[in-house]
Amino acid sequence: GAVSRYPYPKDAWSPAGGWWSRPKTWKSNTIIAAIGMTVTLAAVWKVSADKEVRYQQPIRWIPSMMWAKQFRDQQE
């Protein structure tokens, strides 16, 4: 880095790992966090798509017509 490592208090605790942390499990931690965010995003997306209602029909095609329940029902 840009700064040489200097003495720091050993008794200080940080949830992020403290000064100059390099956890050995960073790859698996990153994968677990990415999976968690993906699952959360998918759940929010599904709830949003199920609740989406357009009271005025769009004049032209819009991307949300592919997943909105209102337009899926009309196609079937």
Side-chain angles (χ1 to χ4, degrees):
V3 176
S4 62
R5 294 188 177 193
Y6 52 84
Y8 60 90
K10 303 290 186 196
D11 57 342
W13 180 84
S14 167
W19 286 271
W20 305 293
S21 70
R22 295 185 183 257
K24 294 177 182 175
T25 58
W26 73 268
K27 287 182 184 177
S28 62
N29 292 347
T30 302
I31 291 170
I32 291 170
I35 290 171
M37 288 187 286
T38 302
V39 167
T40 303
L41 175 67
V44 169
W45 184 291
K46 177 155 177 41
V47 169
S48 175
D50 288 344
K51 291 186 174 200
E52 180 178 355
V53 176
R54 296 198 179 267
Y55 296 105
Q56 190 174 16
Q57 291 290 334
I59 297 170
R60 60 190 184 327
W61 181 85
I62 55 174
S64 70
M65 293 173 83
M66 293 188 295
W67 57 77
K69 187 175 183 181
Q70 177 183 8
F71 298 108
R72 282 187 310 203
D73 293 343
Q74 288 178 1
Q75 290 176 355
E76 295 173 359

